[in-house]
Amino acid sequence: EINISLANFIVVTNQSYKEYLIKKYKIADDKFFIVRNAPELDNRLEIPSDEKLKKGKSSLLVFFGMMGEDDGVDVILKSCNYLIKEKNFSDFYCCLIGPDNIERSPFIGELKKMHKELSLEENVKFTGYLSWDEIHSYLNTADIGLSPDLFTLQNNISTMIKIMEYMSHGLPILSFSLKENKYSAGEAALYCDSFDYKEYAEKIVYMLNDKNILKEKAKIGLERYRGTFNWENSKVNLVSLYSNFK
């Protein structure tokens, strides 16, 4: 609180954090600079997709990010198990991309234990660390980008970089209904209101069965990335901040 009150300027990653700090600490609006975390405009879409990543299945689901207790990866595991055992739907492969060691992801042990107990080896894979070219290939191949972040105060107002990454690959998104996720993804995502793995699973099938929805949300995501949510736009505010220190 002391640091914030004495600061000449405050950098935040989105409007939600700005609103939160203004309300909590009564800080003047003109102290804030919003510098959004966003992907660069680069050649990511030129990285070839690879149908072999689907392991013979019709569809590929991808999660890309940290795998902490509030990141909802357990929701993905439960949803996949529900689809296979309750809905008799197994024509999908799901890849969980991100740190799979205890040091970076302390919750990973619980997730891998659940993965084994639910016998999901044929449909769900933890990839561990991948190169950026490999990540781009997965995201260019996938049918849906999964963003099942659970409701916490921090998650609700945080910008999830995986949302930006999904949009930058024209990847339709399935997310829970969090304030900042809805601002970031807009109509590029389909949302679940209940934070329940069964609803999440049902929405996966719904999206996979409607190619028009997938195509529409892919187009919207790419437009949001190219027009707004990219580093070329974000760095303008950062440069503007630095200009105050001449």
Side-chain angles (χ1 to χ4, degrees):
E1 184 176 353
I2 294 174
N3 287 338
I4 289 176
S5 65
L6 294 176
N8 295 102
F9 303 104
I10 300 169
V11 179
V12 292
T13 56
N14 60 43
Q15 180 70 24
S16 295
Y17 275 123
K18 175 182 173 180
E19 292 171 358
Y20 173 78
L21 292 173
I22 288 175
K23 182 177 180 180
K24 185 170 183 178
Y25 297 112
K26 308 296 188 287
I27 303 166
D29 183 274
D30 60 5
K31 276 193 172 187
F32 287 90
F33 284 80
I34 297 176
V35 182
R36 294 187 67 88
N37 194 354
E40 295 197 38
L41 290 168
D42 55 22
N43 69 337
R44 61 189 58 211
L45 291 174
E46 297 173 15
I47 305 297
S49 59
D50 184 356
E51 290 298 308
K52 288 183 287 189
L53 297 176
K54 296 185 177 183
K55 301 298 182 184
K57 305 293 186 179
S58 295
S59 304
L60 177 64
L61 314 175
V62 166
F63 171 93
F64 172 40
M66 298 300 294
M67 302 187 197
E69 195 166 356
D70 297 327
D71 294 314
V73 178
D74 55 324
V75 171
I76 295 176
L77 297 178
K78 292 175 184 176
S79 295
C80 290
N81 182 63
Y82 174 77
L83 289 177
I84 295 166
K85 295 174 183 170
E86 300 294 329
K87 304 299 290 184
N88 197 30
F89 177 74
S90 60
D91 192 17
F92 68 90
Y93 198 62
C94 179
C95 287
L96 309 173
I97 304 171
D100 64 346
N101 55 62
I102 295 295
E103 291 74 24
R104 292 296 307 277
S105 297
F107 194 53
I108 197 68
E110 293 298 317
L111 294 173
K112 288 190 171 181
K113 180 182 177 183
M114 181 183 295
H115 178 261
K116 184 176 181 179
E117 289 175 346
L118 296 177
S119 302
L120 292 172
E121 294 84 354
E122 299 234 347
N123 290 85
V124 183
K125 175 185 178 181
F126 290 90
T127 69
Y129 285 103
L130 298 176
S131 70
W132 271 109
D133 277 358
E134 290 174 309
I135 292 168
H136 292 322
S137 185
Y138 267 99
L139 297 183
N140 285 337
T141 305
D143 298 280
I144 301 174
L146 305 176
S147 186
D149 308 278
L150 302 175
F151 182 87
T152 66
L153 175 59
Q154 182 175 353
N155 278 357
N156 194 46
I157 63 174
S158 293
T159 299
M160 303 299 175
I161 188 60
K162 58 180 168 284
I163 293 276
M164 306 301 179
E165 293 290 348
Y166 295 157
M167 290 196 298
S168 74
H169 290 83
L171 186 55
I173 301 162
L174 179 59
S175 171
F176 284 129
S177 186
L178 298 177
K179 176 183 178 180
E180 194 61 32
N181 277 9
K182 293 180 79 171
Y183 176 82
S184 297
E187 293 300 315
L190 188 68
Y191 300 96
C192 300
D193 295 318
S194 69
F195 295 91
D196 175 69
Y197 73 89
K198 291 182 180 179
E199 183 188 2
Y200 203 80
E202 297 284 358
K203 290 284 176 69
I204 288 173
V205 175
Y206 173 75
M207 292 179 75
L208 292 178
N209 285 338
D210 194 327
K211 300 305 180 186
N212 288 330
I213 283 182
L214 295 179
K215 185 176 180 180
E216 176 189 1
K217 295 192 177 301
K219 180 175 180 288
I220 292 171
L222 271 178
E223 289 172 348
R224 291 174 75 79
Y225 161 62
R226 289 169 173 160
T228 304
F229 298 112
N230 61 71
W231 183 243
E232 289 301 309
N233 287 333
S234 290
K235 72 182 182 183
V236 171
N237 277 357
L238 187 58
V239 171
S240 176
L241 166 63
Y242 289 153
S243 70
N244 287 279
F245 296 98
K246 292 180 180 178

